[in-house]
Amino acid sequence: MSDQPLLARCADLPSGLGLDRPLECRRHLLDGELRQWSGPMQEVRAPFFLEGPDGPEHPLLGLCPVHDAEVGEQALEAAVAAWGGGLGDWPCRPPAQRAACVADFARRMAAKKAEIVRLMQLEICKAGPECEQEFHRTIENIRDTLAAHEALLRASSVLIETGGMLAQARRSPIGVALCMGPFNFPLNETLATLIPALLMGNTAVVKLPRIGRLLFFPLMDCLRDAFPRGVVNVLCGGTEAVAPVMTSGKVDVLAFIGTSRAAEAMRSLHPRPNRLRCVFGLEAKNAAIVLADADLDLAVRQVLRGAFGFNGQRCTALKLVFAAKEIAPEFTRRLAEAADGLTIGLPWAPGAAITPLPEPGKAAFLDALLRDALAKGARVSTRRSGPLDATTFAPTVLSGVTPDMRVFREEQFGPLCPVAAFSDEAEVLRALARSDYGQQASLFGSDLAALGRLTDRLANLVSRVNIGCKAQRGPDTLPFTARKDSAVGTLSVTEALNAFSIETLAAAGAGSEGARQMREIRARRLSVYLSED
Ligand code: G3H
């Protein structure tokens, strides 16, 4: 590890970063009010180093509450009361009114863009343009979700006559949702579950990510002003606050994006698992398969972005490359050369592609994977490799990777790209079939028959086969799901609405008095459910 950390010098800091004024986040939304927390606070420090009077230090960005079990219970009770066993004001409101609240929230949030982007950049060290992109993608996602909701309402406004029955089918809310997003897309992936949950009429407790929390505090008043009392409640802290929420048995939907270990720990706290619906986005080990006849320029470009985008901290990142043995040396050489060209820098530096890693101990974890692989015969192909300081890891390409190495199986979630050479596609498919994960794969080649055959096989092993391009979640209008330990449920603008609702029916015998009543209720606009709207 280098003695010289990637250092921000006070004199070079861009203006407007606001490092001189740490944010003290004492107020959080609970039961329609911004409650002042007077309990313990936790320091939030930047992952990068700043030159300080006593040497390099992680600058203090803010202070966040460490909520306890009591706040956890209060947040839950507020959501339970707003749900009112399904009879609360929010679940009973006409869906168009709920949509208006969501649209109002999006407008309020848009006005906070600069502050949210600033805090995201500082706390998770995502490069400035990517933070902006996450912000815009989130606004767009809300807009698309509103459009999908409207389409759903339109589609469910009709009467269906079938098998001697007349029916109207709609999707109805489930209850109280607990929404927990990850650190790598803290804004986007927290709201990607919260917004559809609310839109469908559920009430929610949001537990802020362990890292990437500060950006939510400017949103507290937006949430308070856009939604009625108790509909959204925010928790900040660890297990102590959130465990009682789950053990109460009063959570009906658990929406969690993070690791399968943490998801399982949360799910297992619920005393009545049959009553709990889970929507999970979890870790993955997405493979790129580069066939002997692949266009190597394209494969290198896509694998570079897939493996090293946001330091490889994407669940959809490419985390293992299988290269046909004929082209493996040339592919690895070119990939390593491209990785050596990536700019390592602080998130505000122009062109910074590799930035400090916010997870504590991450560079050391990646180093352990690297050393394990080297000890078992892998070789470093990049000029730079390994940890540069306690939080920065050089973009590293490893060649000669084999199944006995940890990096072949474990999710690295960092800028370390292992390449394994293969001579027979069956061995690649067997390795993927044995993997604990099953999110996506990327396929590069020219022979259409081979691409077709592999797509057929891969479709049974993962949930998305990318042909000639990197793995990714977007666009959010496409279904995003996975197999095995990589996901439960599907998220996309349409599927998320289904994930947070259940199908319900009102029905009567066709031609019966009940059917006549249904039609008249609709015609005279006497019901929100039985309605033509
Ligand atoms: O961490 C996983 C994110 O969903 C990645 O999203 O593939 O669109 O960059 P993306």
Side-chain angles (χ1 to χ4, degrees):
M1 193 181 297
S2 143
D3 295 340
Q4 283 299 313
L6 190 60
L7 201 59
R9 294 181 204 287
C10 291
D12 304 334
L13 287 175
S15 64
L17 265 191
L19 281 177
D20 49 327
R21 43 184 167 91
L23 200 66
E24 190 168 339
C25 307
R26 287 205 177 266
R27 298 191 320 155
H28 68 111
L29 180 62
L30 201 154
D31 204 16
E33 292 171 0
L34 296 189
R35 296 265 176 101
Q36 182 82 8
W37 165 250
S38 52
M41 300 287 277
Q42 189 176 24
E43 287 190 344
V44 178
R45 290 190 171 269
F48 58 87
F49 290 94
L50 181 65
E51 193 179 55
D54 304 317
E57 58 180 30
H58 293 289
L60 180 67
L61 302 176
L63 294 167
C64 277
V66 186
H67 287 146
D68 55 14
E70 194 183 335
V71 182
E73 281 155 17
Q74 289 168 351
L76 174 67
E77 284 315 320
V80 167
W83 169 246
L87 302 176
D89 164 66
W90 184 251
C92 294
R93 274 190 190 202
Q97 285 184 21
R98 292 198 295 259
C101 294
V102 168
D104 181 34
F105 168 71
R107 268 191 303 274
R108 291 172 191 274
M109 179 173 122
K112 302 277 176 111
K113 175 184 155 183
E115 181 64 348
I116 291 171
V117 165
R118 179 184 82 84
L119 291 169
M120 191 190 301
Q121 195 184 45
L122 291 174
E123 193 179 345
I124 67 166
C125 267
K126 187 179 272 193
E130 291 177 50
C131 291
E132 295 225 357
Q133 208 178 56
E134 177 170 344
F135 187 90
H136 290 301
R137 180 176 180 176
T138 309
I139 293 280
E140 201 174 311
N141 191 306
I142 298 177
R143 210 188 49 215
D144 290 348
T145 305
L146 283 166
H149 179 245
E150 205 177 306
L152 178 68
L153 293 181
R154 217 174 301 124
S156 50
S157 66
V158 293
L159 289 176
I160 315 152
E161 212 173 318
T162 178
M165 297 296 288
L166 183 75
Q168 179 155 13
R170 285 196 185 272
R171 298 207 65 98
S172 298
I174 302 172
V176 173
L178 173 60
C179 299
M180 298 173 66
F183 84 84
N184 58 336
F185 287 82
L187 178 73
N188 183 271
E189 294 195 341
T190 303
L191 296 189
T193 60
L194 176 65
I195 294 300
L198 297 177
L199 206 45
M200 295 311 289
N202 305 280
T203 62
V205 174
V206 182
K207 153 73 173 66
L208 300 185
R210 198 167 41 90
I211 307 167
R213 284 169 287 183
L214 290 175
L215 63 93
F216 286 93
F217 286 87
L219 285 176
M220 295 290 171
D221 56 349
C222 304
L223 290 167
R224 178 200 57 192
D225 297 340
F227 295 103
R229 180 177 168 184
V231 169
V232 189
N233 306 277
V234 182
L235 270 186
C236 184
T239 318
E240 202 184 328
V242 81
V245 176
M246 286 305 290
T247 54
S248 71
K250 295 177 184 173
V251 170
D252 302 293
V253 191
L254 172 62
F256 178 92
I257 300 179
T259 65
S260 55
R261 198 165 40 87
E264 196 41 51
M266 289 293 296
R267 175 176 22 204
S268 64
L269 292 176
H270 199 288
R272 289 184 284 182
N274 291 348
R275 283 179 63 159
L276 181 69
R277 177 174 297 193
C278 293
V279 185
F280 294 162
L282 307 169
E283 70 267 29
K285 191 75 185 171
N286 295 339
I289 304 169
V290 186
L291 301 173
D293 60 358
D295 170 347
L296 290 193
D297 285 338
L298 172 73
V300 165
R301 256 194 334 269
Q302 290 293 318
V303 172
L304 184 78
R305 287 178 59 207
F308 294 108
F310 187 33
N311 305 307
Q313 299 172 120
R314 295 161 57 242
C315 59
T316 45
L318 291 173
K319 292 166 185 156
L320 178 60
V321 182
F322 291 99
K325 72 174 188 328
E326 299 85 336
I327 48 92
E330 178 60 9
F331 168 80
T332 313
R333 189 191 64 72
R334 289 202 215 175
L335 179 66
E337 194 178 292
D340 280 329
L342 293 173
T343 304
I344 302 174
L346 293 163
W348 53 84
I354 299 294
T355 54
L357 308 167
E359 286 179 285
K362 193 57 197 261
F365 165 77
L366 293 170
D367 195 32
L369 293 186
L370 174 61
R371 284 168 191 274
D372 170 76
L374 295 178
K376 291 171 181 160
R379 292 169 308 283
V380 166
S381 301
T382 31
R383 206 167 22 81
R384 307 171 295 191
S385 66
L388 301 177
D389 62 38
T391 57
T392 315
F393 197 90
T396 303
V397 174
L398 267 179
S399 60
V401 168
T402 47
D404 55 329
M405 298 173 188
R406 287 177 60 193
V407 75
F408 189 94
R409 302 180 304 272
E410 290 179 38
E411 185 191 52
Q412 63 271 46
F413 217 70
L416 173 60
C417 180
V419 183
F422 72 91
S423 41
D424 174 5
E425 67 185 41
E427 77 190 68
V428 174
L429 294 171
R430 273 197 302 272
L432 296 182
R434 273 195 302 266
S435 169
D436 282 337
Y437 307 111
Q439 192 193 64
Q440 299 192 17
S442 287
L443 201 46
F444 299 91
S446 303
D447 175 9
L448 299 184
L451 292 175
R453 186 176 61 242
L454 280 166
T455 303
D456 292 349
R457 299 292 167 271
L458 288 169
N460 289 355
L461 304 177
V462 297
S463 290
R464 172 164 162 169
V465 184
N466 300 283
I467 299 171
C469 62
K470 68 179 173 61
Q472 62 186 36
R473 173 163 57 110
D476 295 326
T477 38
L478 290 177
F480 177 53
T481 185
R483 298 162 181 274
K484 302 183 194 171
D485 284 345
S486 291
V488 175
T490 303
L491 283 174
S492 80
V493 293
T494 337
E495 274 88 350
L497 297 174
N498 293 340
F500 290 97
S501 60
I502 56 171
E503 188 143 76
T504 54
L505 291 175
S512 71
E513 173 61 6
R516 191 198 61 74
Q517 288 171 329
M518 275 175 66
R519 291 189 198 281
E520 192 166 341
I521 292 169
R522 282 166 54 90
R524 292 173 55 195
R525 294 175 177 265
L526 298 175
S527 163
V528 170
Y529 191 102
L530 283 174
S531 128
E532 296 166 1
D533 297 331

